[in-house]
Amino acid sequence: MKEPRTLEELSSQRIAIIDGAMGTMLQRESLTEEDYRGERFKDATKLFKGNSDLLVLTRPDIVEKIHRAYLDAGADLIETNTFSAQAISQADYGLEDLSYELNFEGAKRVRAAIDAYLADGGQGPKFVAGSLGPMNRTTSMSRDVDNPGARDVTFNDVKLAYRDQVRGLLDGGSDLLLVETVFDTLNAKGALFAIEEIFEERGSRVPVLLSVTITDQSGRTLSGQTIEAFWNSVSHFPLFSVGIN
């Protein structure tokens, strides 16, 4: 059988394995505020501890070590440490201008870990999965119980934030994009809209994977959609896979 070189070829031969959680692995490292700041941000006025995405700049060694652990465990798809690395979420830390750089470097860190793994005799193929998380603002639900129309962000805000993230992930070498842990379908549609715009601008595509979060036994998302409704909302987009967590 021919050795697979693309995700499509690999998936036609066997089940492809994605890595596990980044957050719990980082917790094991007992990182301090100084780790998150590094030399570059040592004089920042805000606290950065908990901003895991920033570690691709300040502790890339730790991030690459975790990627390598998942490679050694047999994962085929390694996610970038960019779950909240878009301007809207990073605004909480005053770091919204770093969105492109965070995603570019996040993809580079995975690529470096894969290259080192293969150089040490590991077997491929291995793929860089550009992670786009759900954002900390919602376009579907009001922030004010007394004002159902109140929103912190617009659909266009969300799309533009994801555009910078997608550009950084692709320029950094992502082999695929993963829109993950979706709880607000309208946010996810903003991400897919941004992805499609960037694909058209670049004249090339990569596989896009999507995962939706079901919050309780009702089988609905946090914003109230059933699985069927969610699928009907996103099925227009040519997705490689759709998952549930």
Side-chain angles (χ1 to χ4, degrees), residues 134-145 147-153 182-187 215 221-225:
M135 203 169 280
N136 62 355
R137 301 289 187 272
T138 172
T139 47
S140 290
M141 295 179 289
S142 174
R143 55 178 166 76
D144 183 352
V145 294
N147 183 2
R151 297 291 188 273
D152 290 315
V153 291
V182 171
F183 69 87
D184 181 345
T185 307
L186 193 55
N187 280 30
T215 56
T221 65
L222 185 64
S223 54
Q225 277 194 314

mmCIF file of all heavy atoms in Angstrom, residues 134-145 147-153 182-187 215 221-225:
data_model
loop_
_atom_site.group_PDB
_atom_site.id
_atom_site.type_symbol
_atom_site.label_atom_id
_atom_site.label_comp_id
_atom_site.label_asym_id
_atom_site.label_seq_id
_atom_site.Cartn_x
_atom_site.Cartn_y
_atom_site.Cartn_z
ATOM 1 N N PRO A 134 -13.657 28.668 20.473
ATOM 2 C CA PRO A 134 -15.002 29.229 20.350
ATOM 3 C C PRO A 134 -15.127 30.713 20.672
ATOM 4 O O PRO A 134 -16.173 31.299 20.459
ATOM 5 C CB PRO A 134 -15.800 28.414 21.366
ATOM 6 C CG PRO A 134 -14.794 28.031 22.399
ATOM 7 C CD PRO A 134 -13.517 27.807 21.657
ATOM 8 N N MET A 135 -14.098 31.360 21.200
ATOM 9 C CA MET A 135 -14.128 32.784 21.537
ATOM 10 C C MET A 135 -14.830 32.973 22.893
ATOM 11 O O MET A 135 -15.646 32.150 23.317
ATOM 12 C CB MET A 135 -14.824 33.597 20.435
ATOM 13 C CG MET A 135 -14.460 35.058 20.374
ATOM 14 S SD MET A 135 -15.093 35.833 18.846
ATOM 15 C CE MET A 135 -13.852 35.313 17.653
ATOM 16 N N ASN A 136 -14.528 34.076 23.562
ATOM 17 C CA ASN A 136 -15.139 34.351 24.862
ATOM 18 C C ASN A 136 -16.260 35.375 24.779
ATOM 19 O O ASN A 136 -16.683 35.933 25.803
ATOM 20 C CB ASN A 136 -14.070 34.824 25.856
ATOM 21 C CG ASN A 136 -13.394 36.112 25.426
ATOM 22 O OD1 ASN A 136 -13.638 36.624 24.336
ATOM 23 N ND2 ASN A 136 -12.521 36.632 26.277
ATOM 24 N N ARG A 137 -16.740 35.650 23.588
ATOM 25 C CA ARG A 137 -17.906 36.501 23.360
ATOM 26 C C ARG A 137 -18.845 35.749 22.430
ATOM 27 O O ARG A 137 -18.410 34.960 21.597
ATOM 28 C CB ARG A 137 -17.510 37.842 22.734
ATOM 29 C CG ARG A 137 -16.531 38.671 23.551
ATOM 30 C CD ARG A 137 -17.176 39.246 24.800
ATOM 31 N NE ARG A 137 -16.280 40.168 25.492
ATOM 32 C CZ ARG A 137 -15.381 39.807 26.415
ATOM 33 N NH1 ARG A 137 -15.246 38.526 26.728
ATOM 34 N NH2 ARG A 137 -14.619 40.710 27.003
ATOM 35 N N THR A 138 -20.135 35.994 22.556
ATOM 36 C CA THR A 138 -21.115 35.260 21.764
ATOM 37 C C THR A 138 -21.985 36.199 20.934
ATOM 38 O O THR A 138 -22.384 37.266 21.416
ATOM 39 C CB THR A 138 -22.004 34.378 22.659
ATOM 40 O OG1 THR A 138 -23.060 33.808 21.891
ATOM 41 C CG2 THR A 138 -22.590 35.154 23.822
ATOM 42 N N THR A 139 -22.262 35.802 19.723
ATOM 43 C CA THR A 139 -23.125 36.593 18.849
ATOM 44 C C THR A 139 -24.581 36.138 18.898
ATOM 45 O O THR A 139 -25.455 36.804 18.346
ATOM 46 C CB THR A 139 -22.629 36.503 17.389
ATOM 47 O OG1 THR A 139 -22.363 35.139 17.062
ATOM 48 C CG2 THR A 139 -21.367 37.323 17.186
ATOM 49 N N SER A 140 -24.842 35.007 19.548
ATOM 50 C CA SER A 140 -26.206 34.468 19.564
ATOM 51 C C SER A 140 -26.988 34.804 20.822
ATOM 52 O O SER A 140 -28.217 34.800 20.813
ATOM 53 C CB SER A 140 -26.169 32.935 19.426
ATOM 54 O OG SER A 140 -25.760 32.564 18.134
ATOM 55 N N MET A 141 -26.294 35.078 21.906
ATOM 56 C CA MET A 141 -26.970 35.252 23.181
ATOM 57 C C MET A 141 -26.694 36.634 23.760
ATOM 58 O O MET A 141 -25.596 37.164 23.627
ATOM 59 C CB MET A 141 -26.519 34.173 24.170
ATOM 60 C CG MET A 141 -26.921 32.776 23.738
ATOM 61 S SD MET A 141 -26.362 31.506 24.901
ATOM 62 C CE MET A 141 -24.593 31.532 24.587
ATOM 63 N N SER A 142 -27.678 37.184 24.424
ATOM 64 C CA SER A 142 -27.541 38.500 25.040
ATOM 65 C C SER A 142 -26.688 38.425 26.295
ATOM 66 O O SER A 142 -26.716 37.443 27.034
ATOM 67 C CB SER A 142 -28.916 39.065 25.399
ATOM 68 O OG SER A 142 -28.787 40.269 26.114
ATOM 69 N N ARG A 143 -25.948 39.496 26.555
ATOM 70 C CA ARG A 143 -25.175 39.609 27.797
ATOM 71 C C ARG A 143 -26.014 40.223 28.916
ATOM 72 O O ARG A 143 -25.543 40.350 30.042
ATOM 73 C CB ARG A 143 -23.934 40.472 27.556
ATOM 74 C CG ARG A 143 -24.258 41.838 26.978
ATOM 75 C CD ARG A 143 -23.012 42.688 26.805
ATOM 76 N NE ARG A 143 -23.247 43.857 25.969
ATOM 77 C CZ ARG A 143 -23.879 44.951 26.353
ATOM 78 N NH1 ARG A 143 -24.380 45.023 27.568
ATOM 79 N NH2 ARG A 143 -24.033 45.979 25.529
ATOM 80 N N ASP A 144 -27.262 40.630 28.580
ATOM 81 C CA ASP A 144 -28.107 41.353 29.539
ATOM 82 C C ASP A 144 -29.499 40.718 29.539
ATOM 83 O O ASP A 144 -30.202 40.756 28.534
ATOM 84 C CB ASP A 144 -28.189 42.828 29.132
ATOM 85 C CG ASP A 144 -28.986 43.675 30.107
ATOM 86 O OD1 ASP A 144 -29.608 43.108 31.031
ATOM 87 O OD2 ASP A 144 -29.002 44.915 29.928
ATOM 88 N N VAL A 145 -29.910 40.155 30.664
ATOM 89 C CA VAL A 145 -31.206 39.473 30.730
ATOM 90 C C VAL A 145 -32.365 40.436 30.499
ATOM 91 O O VAL A 145 -33.470 40.019 30.135
ATOM 92 C CB VAL A 145 -31.389 38.755 32.084
ATOM 93 C CG1 VAL A 145 -30.384 37.625 32.230
ATOM 94 C CG2 VAL A 145 -31.265 39.729 33.245
ATOM 95 N N ASN A 147 -32.235 42.889 28.276
ATOM 96 C CA ASN A 147 -32.140 43.406 26.911
ATOM 97 C C ASN A 147 -31.744 42.277 25.972
ATOM 98 O O ASN A 147 -30.556 42.040 25.735
ATOM 99 C CB ASN A 147 -31.129 44.547 26.847
ATOM 100 C CG ASN A 147 -31.051 45.167 25.451
ATOM 101 O OD1 ASN A 147 -31.771 44.764 24.536
ATOM 102 N ND2 ASN A 147 -30.162 46.131 25.273
ATOM 103 N N PRO A 148 -32.730 41.556 25.439
ATOM 104 C CA PRO A 148 -32.431 40.387 24.608
ATOM 105 C C PRO A 148 -31.582 40.697 23.376
ATOM 106 O O PRO A 148 -30.944 39.806 22.818
ATOM 107 C CB PRO A 148 -33.821 39.890 24.193
ATOM 108 C CG PRO A 148 -34.746 40.416 25.242
ATOM 109 C CD PRO A 148 -34.180 41.747 25.617
ATOM 110 N N GLY A 149 -31.566 41.957 22.951
ATOM 111 C CA GLY A 149 -30.797 42.298 21.757
ATOM 112 C C GLY A 149 -29.372 42.724 22.032
ATOM 113 O O GLY A 149 -28.608 42.985 21.095
ATOM 114 N N ALA A 150 -28.984 42.793 23.291
ATOM 115 C CA ALA A 150 -27.635 43.266 23.636
ATOM 116 C C ALA A 150 -26.582 42.250 23.222
ATOM 117 O O ALA A 150 -26.716 41.050 23.471
ATOM 118 C CB ALA A 150 -27.548 43.531 25.133
ATOM 119 N N ARG A 151 -25.525 42.739 22.582
ATOM 120 C CA ARG A 151 -24.418 41.889 22.176
ATOM 121 C C ARG A 151 -23.103 42.622 22.435
ATOM 122 O O ARG A 151 -23.021 43.848 22.298
ATOM 123 C CB ARG A 151 -24.495 41.540 20.680
ATOM 124 C CG ARG A 151 -25.718 40.747 20.262
ATOM 125 C CD ARG A 151 -25.695 39.322 20.824
ATOM 126 N NE ARG A 151 -26.773 38.525 20.275
ATOM 127 C CZ ARG A 151 -28.010 38.461 20.761
ATOM 128 N NH1 ARG A 151 -28.328 39.214 21.820
ATOM 129 N NH2 ARG A 151 -28.920 37.697 20.212
ATOM 130 N N ASP A 152 -22.057 41.869 22.768
ATOM 131 C CA ASP A 152 -20.735 42.455 22.946
ATOM 132 C C ASP A 152 -19.990 42.571 21.625
ATOM 133 O O ASP A 152 -19.091 43.402 21.491
ATOM 134 C CB ASP A 152 -19.897 41.605 23.910
ATOM 135 C CG ASP A 152 -20.410 41.705 25.340
ATOM 136 O OD1 ASP A 152 -20.691 42.837 25.772
ATOM 137 O OD2 ASP A 152 -20.512 40.665 26.006
ATOM 138 N N VAL A 153 -20.327 41.698 20.674
ATOM 139 C CA VAL A 153 -19.650 41.681 19.374
ATOM 140 C C VAL A 153 -20.675 41.459 18.268
ATOM 141 O O VAL A 153 -21.749 40.889 18.496
ATOM 142 C CB VAL A 153 -18.580 40.577 19.296
ATOM 143 C CG1 VAL A 153 -17.399 40.878 20.199
ATOM 144 C CG2 VAL A 153 -19.173 39.206 19.621
ATOM 145 N N VAL A 182 -17.273 24.277 19.599
ATOM 146 C CA VAL A 182 -18.281 25.276 19.255
ATOM 147 C C VAL A 182 -19.464 25.190 20.228
ATOM 148 O O VAL A 182 -20.037 24.124 20.430
ATOM 149 C CB VAL A 182 -18.785 25.056 17.817
ATOM 150 C CG1 VAL A 182 -19.985 25.943 17.526
ATOM 151 C CG2 VAL A 182 -17.657 25.305 16.819
ATOM 152 N N PHE A 183 -19.811 26.316 20.851
ATOM 153 C CA PHE A 183 -21.029 26.372 21.662
ATOM 154 C C PHE A 183 -22.023 27.376 21.095
ATOM 155 O O PHE A 183 -23.192 27.366 21.451
ATOM 156 C CB PHE A 183 -20.709 26.715 23.127
ATOM 157 C CG PHE A 183 -20.214 28.125 23.335
ATOM 158 C CD1 PHE A 183 -21.108 29.162 23.527
ATOM 159 C CD2 PHE A 183 -18.858 28.411 23.326
ATOM 160 C CE1 PHE A 183 -20.664 30.456 23.714
ATOM 161 C CE2 PHE A 183 -18.406 29.696 23.515
ATOM 162 C CZ PHE A 183 -19.311 30.733 23.702
ATOM 163 N N ASP A 184 -21.551 28.255 20.215
ATOM 164 C CA ASP A 184 -22.395 29.250 19.559
ATOM 165 C C ASP A 184 -22.218 29.082 18.054
ATOM 166 O O ASP A 184 -21.157 29.395 17.503
ATOM 167 C CB ASP A 184 -21.977 30.659 20.003
ATOM 168 C CG ASP A 184 -22.839 31.756 19.368
ATOM 169 O OD1 ASP A 184 -23.547 31.468 18.385
ATOM 170 O OD2 ASP A 184 -22.792 32.899 19.856
ATOM 171 N N THR A 185 -23.245 28.578 17.399
ATOM 172 C CA THR A 185 -23.135 28.261 15.983
ATOM 173 C C THR A 185 -22.881 29.508 15.136
ATOM 174 O O THR A 185 -22.193 29.436 14.114
ATOM 175 C CB THR A 185 -24.410 27.538 15.492
ATOM 176 O OG1 THR A 185 -24.643 26.415 16.343
ATOM 177 C CG2 THR A 185 -24.250 27.058 14.071
ATOM 178 N N LEU A 186 -23.412 30.648 15.547
ATOM 179 C CA LEU A 186 -23.187 31.861 14.765
ATOM 180 C C LEU A 186 -21.710 32.264 14.813
ATOM 181 O O LEU A 186 -21.161 32.733 13.819
ATOM 182 C CB LEU A 186 -24.079 32.994 15.266
ATOM 183 C CG LEU A 186 -24.177 34.222 14.361
ATOM 184 C CD1 LEU A 186 -24.618 33.837 12.949
ATOM 185 C CD2 LEU A 186 -25.130 35.255 14.955
ATOM 186 N N ASN A 187 -21.066 32.089 15.955
ATOM 187 C CA ASN A 187 -19.619 32.306 16.015
ATOM 188 C C ASN A 187 -18.895 31.356 15.061
ATOM 189 O O ASN A 187 -17.970 31.751 14.350
ATOM 190 C CB ASN A 187 -19.104 32.084 17.434
ATOM 191 C CG ASN A 187 -19.340 33.271 18.356
ATOM 192 O OD1 ASN A 187 -20.306 34.017 18.183
ATOM 193 N ND2 ASN A 187 -18.471 33.449 19.332
ATOM 194 N N THR A 215 -23.799 20.549 25.895
ATOM 195 C CA THR A 215 -23.550 20.948 27.278
ATOM 196 C C THR A 215 -24.209 20.061 28.331
ATOM 197 O O THR A 215 -23.756 20.047 29.477
ATOM 198 C CB THR A 215 -24.019 22.397 27.493
ATOM 199 O OG1 THR A 215 -25.400 22.505 27.132
ATOM 200 C CG2 THR A 215 -23.211 23.353 26.637
ATOM 201 N N THR A 221 -26.654 22.522 22.214
ATOM 202 C CA THR A 221 -25.525 23.403 22.466
ATOM 203 C C THR A 221 -25.907 24.426 23.532
ATOM 204 O O THR A 221 -27.089 24.561 23.881
ATOM 205 C CB THR A 221 -25.121 24.157 21.188
ATOM 206 O OG1 THR A 221 -26.190 25.037 20.813
ATOM 207 C CG2 THR A 221 -24.826 23.208 20.045
ATOM 208 N N LEU A 222 -24.925 25.172 24.023
ATOM 209 C CA LEU A 222 -25.202 26.193 25.031
ATOM 210 C C LEU A 222 -26.183 27.235 24.506
ATOM 211 O O LEU A 222 -27.005 27.772 25.266
ATOM 212 C CB LEU A 222 -23.897 26.876 25.457
ATOM 213 C CG LEU A 222 -23.999 27.888 26.590
ATOM 214 C CD1 LEU A 222 -24.438 27.213 27.888
ATOM 215 C CD2 LEU A 222 -22.658 28.604 26.793
ATOM 216 N N SER A 223 -26.120 27.516 23.200
ATOM 217 C CA SER A 223 -27.041 28.498 22.618
ATOM 218 C C SER A 223 -28.377 27.877 22.217
ATOM 219 O O SER A 223 -29.221 28.556 21.633
ATOM 220 C CB SER A 223 -26.389 29.193 21.423
ATOM 221 O OG SER A 223 -25.913 28.253 20.480
ATOM 222 N N GLY A 224 -28.589 26.596 22.542
ATOM 223 C CA GLY A 224 -29.918 25.997 22.428
ATOM 224 C C GLY A 224 -30.198 25.148 21.215
ATOM 225 O O GLY A 224 -31.317 24.646 21.058
ATOM 226 N N GLN A 225 -29.220 24.947 20.339
ATOM 227 C CA GLN A 225 -29.479 24.163 19.131
ATOM 228 C C GLN A 225 -29.365 22.664 19.381
ATOM 229 O O GLN A 225 -28.499 22.207 20.128
ATOM 230 C CB GLN A 225 -28.489 24.538 18.025
ATOM 231 C CG GLN A 225 -28.878 25.763 17.231
ATOM 232 C CD GLN A 225 -28.058 25.884 15.961
ATOM 233 O OE1 GLN A 225 -26.855 25.735 15.981
ATOM 234 N NE2 GLN A 225 -28.717 26.175 14.856
#
